[in-house]
């Protein structure tokens, strides 16, 4: 076509699109006859396409291109509008005045009408193209912080209080009914895809009559609370009496001598076994210092037949009076006992596991413990509490009667999904629990459920205005927690393969307000820095929040499966009455009646609830929406080195030359070097929006997501975490499995267990170092390939 010819000539001669006047006039004269001829031809539409195509191709240097098959561009601005923006547009279409005014007028009118139609058509196409295909949101971090603030400011104490009271208006119905009410609440807030997930599981429930403890010397019979057995007491406190028991304990009656084992440590047992035969006797055991399941395993191995379990008055919080209260404990390490390691779904094989221990275990109040040891009523002398202790002289024979019933019941989980906009296949799980165990379990379930619902309510207000987190947030309310975290275990076992690949973190709301004096944040090493930063960002109670240290210690609740089976980073905020002391750790294993643990009495204004909700929400939002997961690899390496400081000395003490301490320290040093390099070379550029590449970010997040999985040992003693990054408590700054193995070494006069535990720890640290190094190698290879 003539237009092609002239245009090609112009380009071939190297003319600038900005021609001077002489060149412009010459070009216009050359184009005059071609343009007039083309405008009169019926193929005028074809001409217009030809005029647009060279700019669309972006290659006007070649005059030989075949432009006929090219289709019109569907640019959001429209073809004609883009053509008007072409710098050559004026040079192509500027020409002298036409020879005939009438002919020229109609030609100009025809061109103007055509251009107007094309302009309107292009504008409409551009508008809908932009509306249907929005560009991906890449808001920088400061905008994210602004969004977090907008969401968190909607969390108000009065809202939490209202939700809390609404929940407690429900009669204490069974698990399914309470779960349904929570599901209705969450659905009404606009949460998408809310599900009720049911499992039929084996529960150990109280029998028709209360368990009893009888002193054979005097013939006195007592209920677990310390009240004497009579019809009047039984009728007055029937529910409390029935639910003062140990779930999954052995059943029956045992008459034997009572032996005081204090806290049941290895040292306590060695002292007892040195002076008497403990076979089939009943141990008087204090709760605290170490996990109950671990202490019971030691007593079972030693040959005891029964256990009376109590909390020493010196260990009880001074702000509460629990001395005359018996309590409930669960002896289940996790999940449905009849389906260990696999989900309780239809068709699953059910194992006959009515008892999880050979011991008859009965929790009793401190009041009854005093009667058993002949302790004076006042155990406080001159502001000093005297711990309870059985006198060394005189035998005390007691009869222990335990009756409970194992039966299959339905427990329910409520699961709701808020799908992520960028990484919907990555899950941030935030979980609380509910229960329907009559008066036991307190009102903490309503407290935690109110907090998670208030956060959901504030979050959905932002979602309804068009915002979404990058990753999917999964809201969970678990059933069966009091019996051994059954609901969370069964759901996770049912979806284990998916969760292993997709879960990024777990945020726990287990018993968030169990006191009102001290904020107690717990986080896995990779999340400690985030938990500390969140306190400074959201905490309004400065006097209570400032200076609170974040630790990695064993905690109660449904985070257990995610920590020990999946190796998922976990964080939890809660208020307590007292700071952890030498003996107060693991007291939360005891579950007291509802009237002794009322969160509304501990926090009348619900300001503590609001603080926990904001801290929890801040952490959840950052994990769910930051482009790079806010995990700290170097903190893991530092935690490992700190835990080895004490361990190496003990290893040399017990194993001597057999302990390969230099190799252990060398592997830990390599882990720190690799983690430091990873954090500086890989995480720094990814956190810079100017250097951030989507593929690189995804690769980096995949590495960060699995940081803690290397630290899962194959086996751990009962009650101890498989994840070795968590310590027993704040006062134990070393690997729990090595600490236990050292104690086992004392008890059995053998180094075999300690050597095996050392090998597990060494293998875990080395595996983590190899994992970090592999991540670095992948990045180096990828970058080299791009270059």
């Amino acid at each position: 076509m003539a237009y092609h010819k002239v245009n090609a000539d112009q380009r071939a001669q190297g003319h600038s699109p900005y021609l001077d006047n002489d060149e412009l006039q010459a070009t216009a004269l050359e184009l005059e006859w071609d343009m007039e001829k083309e405008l009169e031809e019926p193929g005028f539409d074809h001409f217009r396409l030809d005029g647009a195509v060279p700019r669309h191709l972006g290659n006007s240097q070649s005059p030989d291109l075949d432009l006929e098959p090219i289709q019109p561009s569907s640019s959001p601005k429209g073809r004609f509008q883009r053509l008007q923006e072409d710098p050559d547009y004026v040079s192509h279409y500027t020409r002298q005045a036409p020879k005939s005014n009438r002919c020229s007028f109609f030609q100009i009118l025809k061109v103007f009408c055509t251009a107007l139609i094309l302009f309107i058509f292009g504008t409409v196409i551009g508008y809908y193209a932009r509306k249907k295909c929005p560009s991906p949101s890449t808001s920088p971090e400061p905008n994210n912080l602004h969004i977090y603030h907008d969401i968190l400011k909607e969390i108000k104490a009065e809202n939490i209080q209202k939700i809390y009271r609404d929940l407690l208006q429900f009669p204490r119905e069974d698990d399914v009914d309470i779960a349904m009410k929570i599901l209705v609440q969450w659905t009404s807030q606009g949460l998408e895809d809310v599900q009720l997930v049911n499992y039929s599981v084996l529960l150990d429930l109280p029998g028709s009559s209360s368990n009893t403890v009888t002193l054979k010397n005097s013939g006195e019979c007592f209920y677990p609370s310390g009240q004497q057995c009579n019809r009047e007491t039984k009728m007055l406190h029937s529910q409390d009496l029935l639910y003062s028991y140990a779930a999954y304990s052995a059943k029956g009656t045992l008459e034997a001598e009572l032996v005081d084992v204090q806290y049941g440590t290895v040292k306590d047992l060695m002292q007892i076994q040195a002076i008497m035969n403990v076979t089939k006797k009943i141990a008087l055991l204090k709760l605290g210092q170490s996990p109950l399941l671990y202490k019971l395993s030691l007593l079972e191995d030693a040959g005891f037949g029964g256990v009376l379990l109590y909390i020493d008055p010196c260990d009880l919080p001074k702000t509460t009076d629990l001395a005359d209260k018996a309590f409930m404990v669960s002896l289940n390490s996790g999940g449905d006992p009849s389906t260990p390691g696999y989900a309780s779904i239809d068709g699953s094989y059910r194992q006959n596991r009515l008892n999880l221990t050979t011991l008859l275990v009965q929790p009793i109040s401190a009041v009854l413990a005093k009667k058993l040891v002949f302790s004076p009523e006042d155990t406080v002398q001159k502001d000093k509490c005297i711990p309870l202790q059985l006198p060394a002289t005189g035998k005390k024979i007691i009869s222990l009667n335990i009756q409970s019933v194992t039966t299959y019941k339905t427990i329910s989980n409520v699961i709701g999904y808020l799908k992520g906009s960028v990484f919907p296949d990555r899950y941030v799980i935030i979980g609380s629990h509910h229960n329907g165990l009559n008066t036991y379990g307190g009102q903490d379930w309503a407290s935690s459920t109110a907090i998670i619902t208030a956060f959901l309510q504030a979050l959905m207000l932002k979602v309804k205005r068009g915002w979404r987190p990058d990753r999917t947030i999964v809201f969970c309310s678990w059933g069966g927690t009091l019996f051994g975290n059954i609901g969370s275990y069964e759901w996770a076992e049912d979806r284990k393969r998916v969760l292993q690949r997709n879960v990024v973190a777990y945020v726990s709301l287990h018993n968030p307000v169990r006191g009102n004096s001290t904020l107690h944040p717990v986080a896995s090493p990779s999340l400690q820095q985030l938990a500390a930063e969140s306190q400074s960002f959201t905490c309004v109670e400065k006097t209570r929040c400032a200076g609170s240290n974040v630790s990695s210690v064993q905690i109660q609740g449904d985070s257990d499966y995610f920590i020990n089976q999946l190796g998922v980073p976990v964080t939890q905020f809660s208020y307590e009455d007292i700071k952890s002391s030498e003996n107060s750790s693991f007291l939360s294993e005891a579950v007291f009646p509802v009237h002794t643990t009322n969160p509304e009495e501990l926090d009348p204004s619900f300001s503590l609830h609001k603080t926990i909700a904001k801290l929890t929400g801040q952490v959840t939002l950052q994990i769910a929406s930051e482009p790079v997961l806010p995990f700290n690899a170097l903190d893991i390496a530092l935690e490992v080195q700190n835990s080895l400081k004490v361990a190496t000395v003990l290893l040399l003490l017990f194993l001597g030359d057999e302990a390969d301490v230099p190799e252990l320290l060398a592997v830990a040093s390599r882990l720190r070097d690799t983690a430091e390099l990873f954090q500086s070379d890989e995480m720094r550029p990814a956190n810079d929006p100017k250097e951030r590449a989507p593929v690189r970010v995804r690769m980096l997040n995949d590495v960060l997501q699995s940081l803690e999985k290397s630290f899962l040992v194959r086996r751990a003693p009962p009650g101890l975490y498989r994840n070795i990054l968590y310590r027993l408590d704040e006062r134990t700054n070393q690997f729990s499995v090595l600490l236990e193995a050292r104690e086992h070494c004392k008890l059995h006069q053998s180094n075999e267990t300690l050597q095996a535990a050392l090998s597990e720890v060494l293998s875990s640290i080395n595996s983590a170092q190899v994992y970090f190094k592999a991540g670095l190698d992948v990045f180096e290879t990828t970058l080299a390939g791009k270059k």
Side-chain angles (χ1 to χ4, degrees), residues 35-36 38-40 44-45 47-48 80 83-84 89 93 95 103-119:
M35 290 291 292
E36 289 177 351
E38 290 292 88
L39 287 172
E40 293 173 359
F44 176 65
D45 288 340
F47 163 76
R48 284 188 278 105
F80 191 77
L83 185 61
Q84 286 182 318
Y89 179 74
Y93 286 89
R95 63 192 187 101
C103 181
S104 175
F105 174 76
F106 284 110
Q107 290 173 352
I108 293 173
L109 182 61
K110 187 186 297 184
V111 171
F112 176 78
C113 293
T114 304
L116 182 62
I117 293 171
L118 287 175
F119 175 78

Side-chain angles (χ1 to χ4, degrees), residues 10 17 63 352 722 754:
Q10 281 184 327
N352 185 20
R722 286 182 58 215
L754 184 55

Side-chain angles (χ1 to χ4, degrees), residues 506-632:
Y506 183 89
V507 182
S508 173
L509 273 169
H510 182 76
N511 293 10
V513 181
R514 63 191 72 149
N516 57 9
S517 62
T518 305
L519 179 66
H520 186 229
V522 176
S524 63
S526 59
L527 283 176
Q528 285 186 3
Q529 184 173 328
L530 176 63
E533 292 172 352
S534 298
Q535 293 177 65
S536 61
F537 181 82
T538 60
C539 191
V540 294
E541 301 288 337
K542 296 296 182 183
T543 57
R544 292 173 176 170
C545 296
S548 53
N549 295 321
V550 184
S551 58
S552 299
V553 295
Q554 292 193 192
I555 54 179
Q556 300 296 311
D558 293 284
S559 59
D560 186 88
Y561 188 93
F562 299 91
I563 293 173
N564 292 305
Q565 306 299 325
L566 300 178
V568 171
V570 169
T571 184
Q572 171 183 288
F573 297 94
S574 61
Y575 273 99
E576 296 184 348
D577 277 321
I578 55 175
K579 295 181 179 179
S580 295
S581 63
E582 182 180 357
N583 302 330
S584 64
S585 56
F586 297 99
L587 295 184
S588 59
E589 293 178 319
V591 180
F592 283 93
V594 59
H595 50 268
T596 61
T597 55
N598 188 345
E600 194 160 11
E601 294 177 1
L602 295 172
D603 184 24
S605 66
F606 275 73
S607 60
L608 302 184
H609 285 74
K610 182 178 73 172
T611 299
I612 296 296
K614 291 197 172 189
L615 288 169
T616 301
Q618 172 70 20
V619 169
T620 303
L621 288 171
Q622 286 195 251
I623 299 175
S625 293
E626 295 299 310
V628 177
L629 290 171
F631 299 165
N632 198 310

